[in-house]
Amino acid sequence: MLLTNGHIATLQNDDSFGLIEGGVIAIDRAHVAWVGSAADLPDEYANHTRHDLEGRLVTPALIDCHTHVVFGGNRAAEFEQRLNGASYAEVAKAGGGIVSTVRATRAASEDALLSDALKRVDAMIAEGVTLIEVKSGYGLDHDTELKMLRVAHKIADARSIHVRASFLGAHAVPAEYAGRPDVYIDEMCIPTLRAAHAMGLVDAVDGFCEGIAFDVAQIERVFAVAVELGLPVKLHAEQLSNIGGTQLATKYAALSADHVEYATDSDAMALAKAGTVAVVLPGAFYTLRETQAPPIQSFRDHGVPMAVATDCNPGSSPLASPLLTMNMACTLFRMTPLEALLGMTAHAATALGEEKRGRITAGAHADLNIWDVAHPAELSYRIGFNPLHSRIFKGSL
Ligand code: DI6
Ligand code: FE
């Protein structure tokens, strides 16, 4: 297939949108075979079926590299209680918080978890997402963690979307292990990781390194097993405080360190050296009304690739709109529209270890978006407006 008369944002490098006016993309099965100006089109593609884009903008399809879209129930009641004046402790006493999501996720059937997750995934697809990362971490027991991972993979059977699943057993300490986080890691988290890996359910290993979750030594025990199993790691690090998660992540050459509001300049240097992507999550920053923004200028100065993701979850980021997320990255974190788009394409791909996605070049996977806008900055600029015209998934419209 030949896509003709496109306004193509190739994102071939990080310095510009790489715009081509009157551009052509040749697609051979599921890959981009050639991209460039119509005048330069090689003869071998001249007879391919043509599809006229009528001057519309083409970008790589969007990638959401950090989501928790699989979970039971929701936390709207808790949201309402807090806005009516209840304190965090009162909400927790009334059974709210992350433990309520764990309870609902354990109780939900696999079918119910899938159909709930698909509602969120459909919202993402409608805005041009073709690849999502999905985490476990609301089961916190053997059976429910495996159930969540199976549901994550079933999303890719049910919809035109690619899924990468991350094991997040080290997300929180469940009630039955209260006050015994080390026992939880050794007795439940690590054996469940081994079982999930043996079933082929795990693409990467994640953890929540935070005062309210697990410390560096506890996460490191999980990472050691990931290394033994040949799985890449990533980490929720420096979201609410700095306890050394970013340094730990870089020691293990992590794919990404995520949140990173409290990362320092030396953390940024370590990220750059390790080639670890900083994933910023403005939806959580917004929902928690955080005031410390991630050190974007420091990431720029040291050349740290920055990705942007929804963090879609029922507690700290009930956000299923990638376009709003890009807008928030610009408005809340002062990222540029180019950085926001790279953050949901090329750098999100890197954060998932997917080097052949997120840019429009020969050899890349042909997952593309066609938009009814004149310039790519418009994707980050508008709020509550979806200009997606169509999506190309695995080379097909
Ligand atoms: N970061 C967060 O902000 C949460 N999990 C995480 O790793 C919150 C999860 C929740 O409240 O359900
Ligand atoms: Fe998260």
Side-chain angles (χ1 to χ4, degrees), residues 202-281:
V202 185
D203 298 305
V205 175
D206 197 352
F208 190 18
C209 189
E210 193 57 62
I212 57 167
F214 297 95
D215 65 23
V216 164
Q218 288 155 351
I219 297 289
E220 188 157 16
R221 294 216 301 281
V222 181
F223 279 7
V225 176
V227 170
E228 181 199 318
L229 299 176
L231 292 169
V233 302
K234 57 177 70 186
L235 191 61
H236 288 68
E238 270 67 82
Q239 180 187 5
L240 308 168
S241 61
N242 190 313
I243 62 163
T246 303
Q247 297 290 337
L248 175 71
T250 58
K251 178 175 163 189
Y252 283 81
L255 290 171
S256 66
D258 301 42
H259 288 289
V260 291
E261 276 89 338
Y262 286 80
T264 62
D265 197 58
S266 61
D267 290 332
M269 279 168 70
L271 290 168
K273 200 156 163 245
T276 297
V277 177
V279 179
V280 301
L281 304 168

Side-chain angles (χ1 to χ4, degrees), residues 68-112:
H68 308 247
V69 288
V70 175
F71 58 83
N74 70 65
R75 309 244 281 276
E78 165 186 336
F79 178 72
E80 190 178 17
Q81 282 163 14
R82 275 204 264 121
L83 288 166
N84 279 309
S87 69
Y88 193 80
E90 286 164 335
V91 168
K93 224 172 138 196
I98 191 166
V99 295
S100 72
T101 299
V102 172
R103 210 182 309 117
T105 305
R106 288 177 178 180
S109 71
E110 212 159 309
D111 286 349

Side-chain angles (χ1 to χ4, degrees), residues 305-346:
M306 293 180 278
V308 177
T310 61
D311 195 16
C312 182
N313 79 62
S316 64
S317 190
L319 172 61
S321 166
L323 291 174
L324 179 56
T325 306
M326 287 164 61
N327 172 268
M328 287 176 165
C330 294
T331 301
L332 299 174
F333 296 162
R334 311 313 289 163
M335 289 173 74
T336 66
L338 172 60
E339 287 170 333
L341 184 58
L342 285 166
M344 278 225 148
T345 54

